[in-house]
């Protein structure tokens, strides 16, 4: 096992999947990719406008920062800084497609995700995401 992909929605329910991904990465001396997929809310700005591009760039920066803060919160600063972690933030209308694209791009040997989101709406969506990943994942999936 060379590459482990962990995807999060920042919920408390995804923390156990994070712990598992860390354990596997350490045990197998594997690369760890920590990712989040977000969707840009529909706005009146055209997708080719300067304001849209600035908004998109700002959202990538915000989510990358939030992803790092999530890991520090749940691992501690020393452990998060000590590990060789690749942080990936993707924008995609489909969370499962964003995860699958990243898994394929990084040749993931294992995907780790939580099974339920932070809210009732996210639980429904993430449940759907987990089901989609089970059907389409190019490697083993731990939910």
């Amino acid at each position: 096992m060379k590459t482990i992909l962990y995807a999060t929605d920042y919920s408390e329910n995804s923390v156990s999947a994070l712990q598992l991904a860390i354990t596997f990465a350490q045990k197998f001396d594997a690369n760890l990719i920590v990712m989040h997929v977000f969707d840009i809310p529909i706005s009146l700005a055209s997708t080719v406008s300067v304001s849209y591009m600035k908004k998109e760039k700002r959202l990538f920066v915000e989510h990358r920062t939030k992803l790092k803060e999530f890991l520090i919160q749940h691992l501690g600063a020393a452990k998060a800084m000590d590990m060789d972690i690749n942080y990936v933030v993707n924008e995609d209308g489909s969370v499962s497609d964003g995860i699958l694209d990243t898994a394929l791009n990084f040749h993931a040997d294992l995907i780790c995700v939580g099974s339920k989101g932070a809210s009732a709406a996210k639980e429904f969506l993430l449940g759907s995401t987990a089901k989609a990943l089970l059907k389409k994942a190019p490697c083993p999936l731990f939910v």
Side-chain angles (χ1 to χ4, degrees):
M1 191 174 307
K2 296 179 185 176
T3 305
I4 297 169
L5 173 62
Y6 163 72
T8 184
D9 63 352
Y10 308 123
S11 70
E12 287 297 319
N13 293 324
S14 69
V15 175
S16 59
L18 170 62
Q19 297 296 339
L20 178 78
I22 296 288
T23 300
F24 281 157
Q26 290 173 332
K27 181 166 179 73
F28 294 105
D29 194 28
N31 296 324
L32 179 61
I33 299 150
V34 175
M35 75 167 302
H36 175 72
V37 179
F38 71 97
D39 188 17
I40 296 178
I42 297 172
S43 69
L44 297 176
S46 165
T47 57
V48 294
S49 72
V50 173
S51 63
Y52 180 87
M53 289 185 288
K54 286 181 182 178
K55 181 179 184 179
E56 183 178 41
K57 184 176 181 179
R58 180 181 50 81
L59 286 171
F60 272 95
V61 170
E62 286 175 8
H63 281 287
R64 188 172 175 84
T65 300
K66 189 173 180 179
L67 192 55
K68 287 181 179 183
E69 289 170 353
F70 180 80
L71 257 67
I72 289 170
Q73 176 186 353
H74 296 287
L75 298 179
K79 190 170 185 178
M81 299 296 191
D82 187 43
M83 294 189 66
D84 184 22
I85 299 172
N86 292 318
Y87 294 92
V88 175
V89 177
N90 283 352
E91 184 274 321
D92 199 311
S94 166
V95 174
S96 61
D97 287 348
I99 294 169
L100 291 169
D101 287 346
T102 302
L104 290 170
N105 289 338
F106 284 92
H107 307 288
D109 298 301
L110 177 68
I111 301 171
C112 295
V113 296
S115 63
K116 295 182 179 181
S119 67
K122 281 197 173 198
E123 283 183 31
F124 174 77
L125 293 173
L126 193 57
S128 297
T129 298
K131 287 177 188 174
L133 291 173
L134 281 169
K135 291 178 184 176
K136 299 178 186 178
C139 60
L141 173 69
F142 189 90
V143 180

